[in-house]
Amino acid sequence: MEKIDPTIFKAYDIRGVYPSQINEEAVYKIAQAYAKFVNPKTVVLSRDVRLSGPALFEAVKNGLVDHGVNVIDIGIGTTDMFYFAVANYGYDGGMMISASHNPGEYNGLKIVREKSIPTSGDTGIEELKRLVLADYKFKAETSGNLQTKDVAVDYLAKCASFIDSKKLKVLKVVVNGMFGPAVQNVFKLNLPVELVPLNEVPDGHFPKGAPDPLLEQNRTETTELVKSSKADMGAAWDADADRFFLFDENGRFIPGYYLTAFLGRYFAQKIPGAKIIFDPRATWATIDSVTKAGGVPLMNKAGHSFIKERMRKEDAVFGGEMSGHFYFKDFFYCDNGLIPFLLILEIVSGSGKKVSELFEPFFEQYFVSGEINTSLQSDSQIAETFERIEKEFKDSAIDRTDGLSLEYSDWRANIRSSNTQSLIRLNVEARDPETLKVATQSLLELIQN
């Protein structure tokens, strides 16, 4: 028996390179540990389009069935389809075989309990790790059974229920699926919209590299096609389609931060007093927009498991993260990549404005650095850097919701360490471009020296 690599157990999920870190033996053991820890009767199993998916799927299924757990196989799908299947039909939990936006050689597991409540570092992943490393195994007297279920029709109906499709105008939209299943789902909705597809055929080889639209080099294609096809907007999703990215009619990328503020305002206008959750990386646009619209903005630690937990606790209507994750009370408090796309189509159709006009106020008022990552040698070096920054800016308003946030009247910054690598992540926002430049530079000097 090979030793299981303990580093595959991350803060939000389980992830590693196939087959050196994550392989059939590892996921069989994780499935067995999950069955012991959660004690479910029936769970949902799904996967993304990665080439290692079928082999890992088989191993996870066997680990569950051997433990006496019944498995509902919903096939290849998006992560939000998987969340839907678990929560909508009342199953006891589920496992999604996916490494999200990571390059093709990676794979992993996203794990949920009943109602699609996430299993994260502090709510179960550490316990699974302990069981796996202790070589836990069990063979039930009666094996679980396997059923297949097609959830697409119900899932798409649920997403479509967020808008009135009769209000949609015939917009021309570039849709980039990054070789995952997102665009296939958009086509199945039969929207009265002209779609210009890009990388729409699912392909686990990911021929153009990591399926992550947040990487600048991966945005160029969408930008160019929006311009050349004279589209009204562009949309892109990562490989498992739980994150959504927007481009205006000029091909300009709309940061997830502005989209959080924009949709936060939309829900606050629609539902008086609505609570809106956002992360601390950039905050002013969301706080201003939601407050003016009569909503209640609530800052929370970044990361899907933390946001979902707070959404449930507050009964929040909507949540958004800079990373392109958007959460909806009426989608079981889970993140969904298709709903924000549909909402934007409806809002643009009803506004009589171009996408650039709707978002221009954010570009003009809230200047952002975008996330700047710096690699450091060790955790102790990261800790020293935080101390140095705090000392240098001790006259600022300091917040420790997630990492270290500094705030002045004309700029603020959030400095966080990565959950998975020896990295410091810096985000700065300011009231004007010059202040942004100066603040970013001084923080980077402190971090890099």
Side-chain angles (χ1 to χ4, degrees):
M1 185 201 87
E2 286 181 40
K3 186 143 173 51
I4 308 284
D5 183 346
T7 65
I8 62 174
F9 296 90
K10 311 290 186 192
Y12 312 126
D13 56 19
I14 292 165
R15 221 176 276 193
V17 174
Y18 177 86
S20 58
Q21 291 181 299
I22 200 153
N23 50 42
E24 291 80 349
E25 187 189 4
V27 299
Y28 178 90
K29 286 178 159 299
I30 293 163
Q32 287 253 300
Y34 173 81
K36 165 77 173 164
F37 176 62
V38 176
N39 193 25
K41 284 195 177 72
T42 306
V43 300
V44 171
L45 201 49
S46 184
R47 65 183 177 90
D48 68 16
V49 300
R50 286 165 199 275
L51 303 180
S52 54
L56 294 180
F57 187 97
E58 199 57 28
V60 172
K61 180 202 79 183
N62 290 339
L64 293 166
V65 166
D66 287 352
H67 209 287
V69 178
N70 300 323
V71 172
I72 307 292
D73 169 7
I74 64 165
I76 291 175
T78 64
T79 291
D80 49 22
M81 286 174 87
F82 160 72
Y83 293 148
F84 170 81
V86 174
N88 187 66
Y89 307 114
Y91 294 123
D92 304 316
M95 302 176 97
M96 171 82 185
I97 298 156
S98 172
S100 189
H101 56 275
N102 282 131
E105 65 271 21
Y106 283 79
N107 216 326
L109 291 166
K110 294 186 176 184
I111 300 171
V112 299
R113 305 172 70 136
E114 77 286 352
K115 300 177 185 169
S116 280
I117 293 169
T119 300
S120 62
D122 50 1
T123 59
I125 285 181
E126 282 301 314
E127 181 60 18
L128 296 182
K129 177 179 170 181
R130 191 187 66 73
L131 287 164
V132 167
L133 297 180
D135 199 25
Y136 171 78
K137 54 175 159 306
F138 177 77
K139 187 90 166 76
E141 280 178 30
T142 308
S143 296
N145 62 43
L146 177 71
Q147 293 172 40
T148 57
K149 186 175 180 72
D150 187 345
V151 305
V153 172
D154 291 348
Y155 160 76
L156 291 170
K158 178 71 174 175
C159 295
S161 73
F162 277 74
I163 65 159
D164 180 354
S165 59
K166 291 194 285 296
K167 290 182 177 171
L168 296 188
K169 289 195 173 141
V170 184
L171 299 167
K172 190 180 201 180
V173 186
V174 168
V175 282
N176 183 352
M178 297 298 289
F179 302 104
V183 175
Q184 313 282 329
N185 283 337
V186 174
F187 272 109
K188 284 177 192 164
L189 282 166
N190 292 316
L191 301 165
V193 168
E194 186 188 340
L195 298 172
V196 183
L198 178 60
N199 307 324
E200 76 275 21
V201 178
D203 183 352
H205 291 93
F206 300 128
K208 293 175 182 172
D212 183 3
L214 206 49
L215 299 175
E216 210 149 325
Q217 65 268 28
N218 286 348
R219 294 184 210 160
T220 314
E221 227 183 350
T222 310
T223 295
E224 306 277 303
L225 190 55
V226 167
K227 288 186 196 163
S228 65
S229 64
K230 298 190 165 46
D232 295 297
M233 60 182 256
W237 294 266
D238 58 350
D240 67 330
D242 60 351
R243 293 190 301 154
F244 167 70
F245 304 89
L246 179 66
F247 298 77
D248 70 15
E249 76 284 356
N250 303 309
R252 176 173 61 173
F253 178 73
I254 309 289
Y257 168 40
Y258 296 163
L259 208 44
T260 298
F262 183 81
L263 290 174
R265 179 176 66 200
Y266 166 83
F267 280 105
Q269 284 168 341
K270 205 174 169 186
I271 302 156
K275 291 178 179 176
I276 309 296
I277 311 289
F278 60 98
D279 73 82
R281 286 171 281 198
T283 65
W284 285 343
T286 308
I287 292 168
D288 295 350
S289 303
V290 170
T291 307
K292 279 177 197 157
V296 182
L298 299 169
M299 186 166 77
N300 197 76
K301 190 172 177 174
H304 80 99
S305 52
F306 302 118
I307 300 274
K308 286 170 186 167
E309 192 182 339
R310 185 78 185 277
M311 292 273 297
R312 282 192 159 86
K313 187 180 161 197
E314 303 283 356
D315 198 26
V317 174
F318 171 75
E321 288 187 273
M322 204 178 88
S323 55
H325 284 278
F326 302 102
Y327 306 81
F328 303 88
K329 174 186 171 175
D330 292 336
F331 190 74
F332 317 102
Y333 302 101
C334 288
D335 37 338
N336 182 298
L338 192 50
I339 293 166
F341 171 67
L342 295 171
L343 290 171
I344 293 294
L345 288 180
E346 185 179 58
I347 295 166
V348 172
S349 295
S351 71
K353 291 182 176 179
K354 293 176 174 174
V355 176
S356 63
E357 292 171 323
L358 291 172
F359 284 92
E360 200 54 49
F362 296 109
F363 283 101
E364 286 173 354
Q365 287 177 68
Y366 307 97
F367 298 87
V368 291
S369 64
E371 192 154 89
I372 304 164
N373 292 319
T374 305
S375 286
L376 293 178
Q377 299 302 312
S378 63
D379 289 349
S380 62
Q381 213 177 20
I382 288 173
E384 283 164 23
T385 306
F386 273 94
E387 277 174 37
R388 207 161 53 238
I389 292 168
E390 196 169 336
K391 199 171 166 188
E392 181 70 26
F393 298 103
K394 60 178 183 288
D395 60 332
S396 69
I398 286 176
D399 180 273
R400 291 189 178 82
T401 300
D402 193 355
L404 179 68
S405 293
L406 317 167
E407 186 159 349
Y408 293 94
S409 60
D410 55 347
W411 68 271
R412 71 174 293 283
N414 175 259
I415 306 102
R416 302 160 65 235
S417 52
S418 163
N419 281 303
T420 51
Q421 301 149 279
S422 293
L423 282 181
I424 278 192
R425 306 189 190 281
L426 171 68
N427 282 282
V428 189
E429 61 182 320
R431 304 287 183 199
D432 66 84
E434 189 52 38
T435 303
L436 177 71
K437 193 175 151 190
V438 172
T440 305
Q441 201 48 51
S442 58
L443 280 159
L444 277 176
E445 278 168 19
L446 280 170
I447 291 167
Q448 289 164 358
N449 297 331

